[in-house]
Amino acid sequence: MKISFVIPCYRSEKTIEVVVAEIEERMKERPELEYEVILVNDCSPDGVWGVIKKLANDKLFVTGINLAKNFGQHSALMAGYAYCTGDYVVSLDDDGQIPLESLFSLYDKLEEGYDVVCASYLEKKKTVFRKFGTWMADKMGEIMLGQPKGLTGSSFFIARRFVINEMLRYDKSYPYIWGLVFRVTRNVTCVHTIHRKRI
């Protein structure tokens, strides 16, 4: 069994090494699992591409992708999905707020038979404006996509390979990741966890 971690990188020159190091540490808990980390530079204006190149040079499990322009988080994820080779795919952010201590809670829930498992944050470290945006996105998801009521999608989730493969068949501009998930499956659940402060 192999896990692919896909991380869009933007203005994370000072955080992405910490995130990769934590993934490496967490994966030691399950030595039977193979893994890879796909880092996608979304044309970040800082020096994150230099950090990614160094990580890819130093660590065999890291692959770097450098986008020619800024396409946005969801398109960067799709670019990473196209390169990953894992049986399960984990999507997460580059800022260190993702609680990776919950990784195997999501993994074990997927093993129960779900197609996608996401982290549901008990208290999310967001501004009021961003919280409102998330609430609106969830309501629109319920109305337009059939998103289960009360299920809040997050940027930290794990999916089976067939879900990712089906998502990659979408060839239009401006993909919406959770919209694509719910086009493929409704067999989705959440695991409650915390949301850290940004590094």
Side-chain angles (χ1 to χ4, degrees):
M1 181 67 70
K2 183 176 183 180
I3 299 178
S4 296
F5 295 86
V6 179
I7 310 175
C9 299
Y10 190 80
R11 295 189 184 275
S12 51
E13 176 184 8
K14 297 180 180 177
T15 59
I16 193 59
E17 286 181 288
V18 177
V19 174
V20 171
E22 187 172 3
I23 290 171
E24 194 171 10
E25 193 61 32
R26 290 293 166 197
M27 291 305 294
K28 290 177 183 177
E29 298 172 17
R30 302 283 179 98
E32 73 277 11
L33 298 175
E34 295 181 63
Y35 69 101
E36 65 180 355
V37 178
I38 312 294
L39 303 176
V40 184
N41 175 32
D42 194 17
C43 201
S44 181
D46 65 357
V48 72
W49 178 238
V51 177
I52 291 171
K53 287 193 292 184
K54 182 178 184 304
L55 284 167
N57 186 62
D58 293 346
K59 299 179 183 295
L60 293 177
F61 62 84
V62 174
T63 298
I65 298 171
N66 192 29
L67 300 183
K69 59 176 266 189
N70 178 254
F71 289 96
Q73 182 182 28
H74 292 221
S75 292
L77 277 169
M78 294 288 279
Y81 294 161
Y83 276 84
C84 68
T85 61
D87 304 289
Y88 292 170
V89 180
V90 175
S91 303
L92 66 155
D93 291 336
D94 59 349
D95 58 10
Q97 288 186 282
I98 296 301
L100 274 170
E101 60 268 23
S102 303
L103 171 63
F104 290 112
S105 296
L106 273 67
Y107 174 88
D108 291 340
K109 199 72 175 172
L110 200 73
E111 288 280 272
E112 291 179 17
Y114 290 98
D115 296 329
V116 181
V117 181
C118 69
S120 177
Y121 300 116
L122 299 171
E123 180 185 357
K124 197 157 187 182
K125 309 297 183 183
K126 278 187 173 183
T127 63
V128 172
F129 179 76
R130 290 195 67 191
K131 285 180 181 177
F132 176 74
T134 299
W135 180 82
M136 283 294 293
D138 288 340
K139 287 300 175 188
M140 292 300 290
E142 290 172 14
I143 295 166
M144 299 179 69
L145 304 173
Q147 177 175 322
K149 192 173 179 61
L151 192 152
T152 300
S154 73
S155 57
F156 180 29
F157 65 95
I158 185 169
R160 294 182 183 276
R161 181 78 229 184
F162 87 89
V163 176
I164 299 300
N165 288 344
E166 287 300 310
M167 290 168 68
L168 285 170
R169 294 177 65 179
Y170 180 82
D171 60 358
K172 308 292 190 299
S173 301
Y174 311 113
Y176 172 52
I177 292 298
W178 280 101
L180 296 178
V181 166
F182 289 119
R183 281 180 59 176
V184 178
T185 182
R186 297 289 193 276
N187 188 22
V188 179
T189 193
C190 288
V191 169
H192 293 294
T193 185
I194 59 168
H195 193 239
R196 299 174 184 166
K197 292 182 179 178
R198 187 180 295 267
I199 295 175

